Amino acid sequence: MAENRYYDALVQNINLEDITSSVHNADILRTLRDGHPDWNQELYILEDELDGDNDEFIVGEGDDLGWLGYFIGRSEVLQALVVDYLPAEGERMDALMRGITHNQSITKLSIRTDIGDEGFENLGLFLRSENALKYIKFQYFHVDTECGHNIAMALEQCRHDSLRSFELGNSNINEEGFAEIAATLRTQSQLENLHVRHNNIGRDGCVALGNLLRRWQSSNLKRLFLSNNNIDDLGLEALVEGMTNCSNLETVHLCDNRSITAAGIRSMSPLLQSESCSLTELKLHRINFGDVGAIALADGLRGTNSLRNLMFAPTSAGITDVGWSALSELLCDTSSINNTYLSNHTLERIGDGFFYDDSDTPPIISQYLAWNREERIDAALRKILESHPDLDMKPFFQWKLKFLPVIINWFGRVQEAGLKQSLGGRKLSSVYSFVRGMPMLVISQDREKTRRRSRKRRLDGETK
């Protein structure tokens, strides 16, 4: 606070050009202080120019970073701050971070360099204060055990529930450092996004993350990104135990974890089969799970209705006709009308999802998926009509004539869906098959109706 009073006393008379290394940087301080109609409310602290925009502060020899931190701290409109570079001199770095702790408007903070022990201590003070922060990222710098500890200690200070997204990416963090960070996130069950991509997280890290997810009492987690790590089958199994606890989880990315095999894919069945599963997207690019893995996925998705996108690269997944056959049966089991009806009608994409190139996906599967995506037409109706030219009515005889109006109504839905061409003459033949299957019941029903009409006419005659 004493340092802030120092800046407060001088701010009215300070010449911004005297505390910066360039006119451009002075203009940025002026924008932080006074605002600007064209400012995007973002600030990048860089070593070298990127685009030359008015949101890039290029750190030079003449820049007083204490003043930069002061104006950041005072800003009431700054939304996003990216710290991509800080000079090696600890005093300049620490002066900047001390100023940042006073800010109350930043919603997105990205740290792309090691800010040192005192810098992380100040980051902890920032996280402890009542601020608007929703997204925090640590990326593109090496996080060793000590740095991981510093990050964990800073996160430990976070006591408010505004944080929605945590990202630790391209940091080469080891198992020990990540386990400590995961433990400190135990009080952050309100997180919706957890990005831990391009690291060296293996089995021990998965156990730590699985424990974290399992301990969250009411998890709000929606997206979990774990691509490009060292996750193996046992690590994935440990993760599944935690993910099953996350009833709001919609997206899981496991791409480029090349130690995962069909056994790991099979361990995901409890998650996929969970009654509380909300998963809509699963990405498995560059994982060679083969036919056994494809069969495990088909079995795990049988009877579920949340997953929309099952994405993997067919060429690297190692799937042959055997695996594709299992996925085809998942989408449309043609062994009976009932099994066709109970097939999966919610999956919309299977295969490569970056630009959704389905050239390596068998045409019949692409067709089933296209029917699932069609909003105007009921996919189950379409699959039944296309897969069963002769509709067998015998399974419905047990309901006798009570089921006949249902059949007629069902064909009406087919016509409304625009499938009249596929319908052909099957409506009449199906009704005929139904009636022919129980002629005596139809005759007795008709005789009963005739008797009722005759009795009603007699009663009408007696009252006249």
Side-chain angles (χ1 to χ4, degrees):
M1 294 298 293
E3 185 176 25
N4 231 38
R5 286 195 294 270
Y6 164 79
Y7 289 113
D8 287 339
L10 298 175
V11 68
Q12 297 299 325
N13 300 313
I14 194 71
N15 185 344
L16 299 182
E17 280 71 15
D18 292 341
I19 56 174
T20 52
S21 63
S22 66
V23 173
H24 177 79
N25 284 357
D27 288 340
I28 288 180
L29 294 191
R30 191 171 291 107
T31 298
L32 285 168
R33 184 188 66 188
D34 305 330
H36 192 282
D38 296 329
W39 185 35
N40 60 11
Q41 299 180 338
E42 298 179 356
L43 179 62
Y44 292 77
I45 301 176
L46 307 168
E47 182 179 17
D48 299 303
E49 180 182 298
L50 290 179
D51 303 312
D53 294 337
N54 62 357
D55 59 2
E56 298 178 6
F57 189 98
I58 314 301
V59 178
E61 284 294 329
D63 290 307
D64 188 324
L65 298 187
W67 278 106
L68 175 60
Y70 172 76
F71 284 117
I72 290 174
R74 282 190 54 178
S75 175
E76 297 180 355
V77 295
L78 179 63
Q79 295 290 304
L81 176 63
V82 178
V83 182
D84 187 73
Y85 166 78
L86 288 176
E89 302 96 310
E91 291 184 5
R92 297 177 72 196
M93 185 188 307
D94 297 339
L96 170 68
M97 295 303 299
R98 284 195 297 271
I100 291 174
T101 61
H102 299 285
N103 182 275
Q104 296 290 310
S105 65
I106 293 173
T107 60
K108 298 179 181 180
L109 175 62
S110 178
I111 306 292
R112 298 181 178 180
T113 185
D114 190 342
I115 56 178
D117 295 349
E118 188 172 341
F120 280 111
E121 287 180 16
N122 284 302
L123 178 61
L125 294 176
F126 172 72
L127 294 175
R128 189 168 62 189
S129 65
E130 290 295 330
N131 56 45
L133 190 66
K134 293 183 178 180
Y135 308 89
I136 188 166
K137 299 180 181 181
F138 302 93
Q139 54 187 168
Y140 305 122
F141 69 99
H142 178 65
V143 177
D144 56 19
T145 302
E146 181 181 358
C147 187
H149 172 75
N150 286 337
I151 293 174
M153 291 301 97
L155 291 171
E156 186 75 36
Q157 302 298 310
C158 189
R159 292 291 183 267
H160 48 87
D161 59 3
S162 66
L163 199 62
R164 291 292 178 268
S165 180
F166 174 80
E167 182 168 347
L168 179 67
N170 297 84
S171 63
N172 202 34
I173 190 170
N174 60 26
E175 302 271 58
E176 183 181 352
F178 178 72
E180 188 172 4
I181 291 173
T184 62
L185 292 173
R186 65 187 180 277
T187 61
Q188 302 297 320
S189 62
Q190 82 285 347
L191 282 173
E192 296 178 359
N193 306 299
L194 193 55
H195 301 248
V196 196
R197 298 174 290 193
H198 296 273
N199 289 295
N200 285 319
I201 297 170
R203 191 176 301 173
D204 292 342
C206 288
V207 170
L209 182 55
N211 288 337
L212 167 68
L213 300 179
R214 191 169 62 250
R215 289 171 182 168
W216 277 345
Q217 293 300 314
S218 55
S219 171
N220 286 325
L221 190 67
K222 294 182 179 179
R223 288 166 284 275
L224 180 61
F225 298 93
L226 295 166
S227 298
N228 294 89
N229 280 290
N230 292 323
I231 300 172
D232 62 7
D233 292 336
L234 291 178
L236 180 55
E237 185 175 352
L239 279 172
V240 168
E241 294 179 16
M243 288 192 287
T244 305
N245 183 52
C246 301
S247 59
N248 293 307
L249 187 61
E250 299 174 353
T251 302
V252 174
H253 290 187
L254 293 165
C255 308
D256 288 290
N257 286 288
R258 305 192 183 202
S259 295
I260 294 176
T261 69
I265 299 298
R266 189 181 301 111
S267 73
M268 298 189 72
S269 290
L271 170 65
L272 300 174
Q273 290 284 326
S274 171
E275 291 184 2
S276 61
C277 181
S278 300
L279 199 64
T280 60
E281 179 175 278
L282 176 62
K283 282 193 175 184
L284 303 169
H285 288 90
R286 290 169 296 282
I287 295 178
N288 187 357
F289 50 78
D291 290 332
V292 177
I295 293 170
L297 283 169
D299 291 341
L301 291 169
R302 207 172 301 279
T304 66
N305 59 5
S306 66
L307 197 69
R308 297 288 187 273
N309 301 311
L310 175 59
M311 315 314 299
F312 55 84
T315 54
S316 60
I319 301 178
T320 69
D321 291 344
V322 175
W324 284 120
S325 177
L327 292 171
S328 177
E329 186 176 305
L330 166 70
L331 294 168
C332 186
D333 184 346
T334 61
S335 59
S336 71
I337 293 176
N338 194 52
N339 286 342
T340 302
Y341 179 78
L342 295 175
S343 298
N344 185 292
H345 309 305
T346 54
L347 267 169
E348 297 179 356
R349 286 179 169 79
I350 294 179
D352 198 346
F354 291 111
F355 300 102
Y356 194 56
D357 176 9
D358 64 351
S359 58
D360 294 321
T361 302
I364 187 61
I365 290 181
S366 296
Q367 182 63 77
Y368 292 151
L369 294 170
W371 289 342
N372 284 0
R373 290 194 298 271
E374 176 60 66
E375 296 181 359
R376 188 177 58 87
I377 299 174
D378 189 311
L381 293 180
R382 173 65 73 93
K383 292 175 186 177
I384 289 172
L385 287 172
E386 297 292 343
S387 304
H388 302 277
D390 298 316
L391 297 178
D392 184 6
M393 294 291 105
K394 290 180 182 179
F396 308 118
F397 287 177
Q398 58 183 308
W399 288 289
K400 300 182 179 179
L401 291 183
K402 295 177 182 179
F403 203 77
L404 188 57
V406 177
I407 294 175
I408 295 173
N409 180 63
W410 187 84
F411 280 110
R413 288 171 56 204
V414 171
Q415 282 187 298
E416 291 175 2
L419 297 176
K420 188 174 182 180
Q421 184 175 358
S422 299
L423 183 61
R426 280 185 277 184
K427 177 179 179 180
L428 184 60
S429 63
S430 297
V431 173
Y432 172 74
S433 173
F434 199 92
V435 173
R436 184 183 180 190
M438 47 187 73
M440 296 309 299
L441 181 60
V442 174
I443 292 171
S444 63
Q445 290 278 347
D446 187 59
R447 286 174 177 172
E448 178 63 26
K449 288 181 181 179
T450 301
R451 282 196 296 269
R452 288 177 182 175
R453 286 196 295 269
S454 299
R455 184 168 179 268
K456 184 177 180 181
R457 283 196 296 269
R458 285 199 304 272
L459 290 173
D460 288 344
E462 293 173 359
T463 58
K464 291 180 180 179

